[in-house]
Amino acid sequence: MQSRGRNHRTVFLVLMRTAWVLVCAAVLVASGLAWSTVSSISTGVERSYAIPDDAPRSSSGRNILIMGLTTRLDLHGEPLPDDVLRRLQAGESDRGGYNANTLILLHLPASGPAVAMSVPRDNLVPLSSGGEGKIKEAYGRAKIAEEDRLRAAGTHEKRTLERAGREAGRRAQVQTVSAFLNQPIDHLVEISLIGFFHIAEGLGGVDVCLKNATKDPLSGADFPAGRQHLDAGQALSFVRQRHGLPGGDLDRTRRQQAFLSAVARRVQDADVAAVQAMIDMAKQDVVLDARFDLTEFARRLPSEVRFDTLPVEGGAHVGGQDVNAVDQAKVRAKVTELATAPPPPPPDDGIPCIA
């Protein structure tokens, strides 16, 4: 038993340096716990076929699209338990829809540091289903269209509609982001709102630092200035807040990045039991594409990731909605630049404070 414990701990410590990406989906954190757990994780996690086998592949490494959904429903379209909804502080189960409010393109190069590029959710872009819309809407629009098509053809079983609709949503979101950035997508990771909550809960909360006190009743955020420890519910409010921030939704994007960095720091101090607990959580919160080989992924992870946010040109009002105006050429040039020369690492002076 001692030998087995030492082996688990050795693998755990070696892989902590790669926790920055593993925590993007709790299942990937869990895969770093011990090689012996990878098989059980792979069989327990929902798999998607939204990226076909003959889809274009990146020639300069690997591109992973991480999608965070706003839905308050589980993977089968069922409402979360009332006590969980109360702890989420995110309203009733019918709120949120299926927008991809978090979109991160994680580029893993053949060598050197990786870069996680946040795609602002309100960018006005061509959608794969036709027409223009906010980039976050590709998933939900395609889901609704597919479910309507199936109902018209005589399919009415709820879980069948949910599964098919979400697969259509994933395909549309991958295609929309890929076309907008002019980058092939090799893999996808989907995690819903409850998944962010479970990550923080499994680790006993996270530590962040704010430049100013802030309060937003819509997200439940109520934080003083300075360094502080957030429990799972507070952490979810932290990543959801956009009202009352000087940069609005772009500041929320930076908070998502700060959350991932905070989780990475937290994982470094967590014990094996805490990370093991996240395995079971991952199986109900995370979807991976069918070709995602967790063993190979964990073995080939680079030692460092750097965050950046893709540029917008400013706000615009189109079709009754506030959107981000974007220069597609500039965005694509920035992606190429970041993929070949990631931003410098932040100063190693503890937890950086953000707005």
Side-chain angles (χ1 to χ4, degrees):
M1 291 295 291
Q2 285 184 339
S3 174
R4 181 181 178 185
R6 283 196 299 269
N7 289 340
H8 276 63
R9 188 62 180 171
T10 298
V11 174
F12 180 73
L13 290 174
V14 168
L15 292 179
M16 281 310 95
R17 65 189 178 88
T18 64
W20 45 265
V21 60
L22 299 185
V23 299
C24 295
V27 64
L28 301 184
V29 179
S31 73
L33 179 63
W35 299 117
S36 61
T37 67
V38 172
S39 177
S40 66
I41 295 168
S42 295
T43 57
V45 173
E46 183 86 6
R47 291 287 182 163
S48 167
Y49 295 87
I51 302 177
D53 290 345
D54 59 354
R57 303 290 167 176
S58 175
S59 60
S60 61
R62 292 191 180 182
N63 289 329
I64 302 172
L65 179 63
I66 301 168
M67 304 184 291
L69 300 185
T70 56
T71 180
R72 278 72 161 165
L73 304 175
D74 67 15
L75 285 177
H76 305 295
E78 300 294 339
L80 299 173
D82 289 342
D83 63 320
V84 174
L85 285 172
R86 285 194 296 271
R87 296 175 69 193
L88 289 179
Q89 304 180 73
E92 300 300 320
S93 59
D94 59 353
R95 294 190 59 191
Y98 283 88
N99 286 334
N101 270 4
T102 300
L103 288 168
I104 297 176
L105 182 69
L106 176 66
H107 178 69
L108 304 178
S111 62
V115 60
M117 299 171 252
S118 291
V119 184
R121 65 172 194 158
D122 289 338
N123 286 359
L124 183 64
V125 305
L127 301 178
S128 64
S129 57
E132 284 190 324
K134 295 182 179 182
I135 195 168
K136 68 178 182 181
E137 296 174 341
Y139 192 115
R141 290 192 186 188
K143 180 179 185 295
I144 291 172
E146 177 65 6
E147 290 175 356
D148 287 345
R149 185 188 70 80
L150 290 173
R151 287 191 188 96
T155 300
H156 299 285
E157 201 279 321
K158 182 178 178 180
R159 289 202 172 188
T160 300
L161 291 170
E162 182 72 14
R163 177 180 290 274
R166 291 185 70 159
E167 276 290 84
R170 292 168 191 133
R171 285 193 298 271
Q173 197 65 66
V174 167
Q175 291 168 4
T176 297
V177 173
S178 178
F180 175 60
L181 301 182
N182 194 31
Q183 291 288 320
I185 305 296
D186 299 290
H187 297 294
L188 71 84
V189 175
E190 175 188 300
I191 184 166
S192 59
L193 200 64
I194 185 63
F196 286 96
F197 177 87
H198 277 156
I199 289 174
E201 184 178 49
L203 292 173
V206 295
D207 296 318
V208 300
C209 183
L210 294 176
K211 294 179 180 178
N212 303 295
T214 183
K215 188 171 184 177
D216 170 31
L218 293 177
S219 65
D222 187 2
F223 308 122
R227 180 170 175 169
Q228 55 205 283
H229 182 78
L230 307 183
D231 64 23
Q234 291 171 321
L236 189 60
S237 295
F238 176 79
V239 298
R240 290 182 58 235
Q241 184 185 4
R242 62 189 174 97
H243 298 284
L245 300 177
D249 205 60
L250 293 179
D251 276 344
R252 174 157 66 174
T253 296
R254 297 183 183 99
R255 286 183 169 219
Q256 293 166 357
Q257 296 171 353
F259 171 80
L260 294 178
S261 296
V263 173
R265 289 190 299 269
R266 189 72 175 167
V267 167
Q268 292 175 13
D269 298 325
D271 58 26
V272 173
V275 180
Q276 181 70 55
M278 297 174 70
I279 295 175
D280 295 330
M281 295 177 181
K283 291 179 180 180
Q284 58 184 324
D285 297 331
V286 174
V287 178
L288 304 176
D289 68 273
R291 293 170 58 93
F292 208 136
D293 186 328
L294 296 180
T295 303
E296 180 190 12
F297 177 77
R299 289 185 186 278
R300 297 181 60 182
L301 279 172
S303 61
E304 184 181 0
V305 68
R306 301 173 187 179
F307 289 94
D308 211 316
T309 302
L310 298 180
V312 299
E313 296 298 297
H317 194 71
V318 178
Q321 293 190 91
D322 292 323
V323 300
N324 293 328
V326 292
D327 183 325
Q328 190 174 54
K330 287 184 179 180
V331 171
R332 290 178 172 181
K334 184 67 174 180
V335 171
T336 300
E337 174 191 335
L338 290 173
T340 54
D348 187 13
D349 55 357
I351 301 176
C353 289
I354 63 172

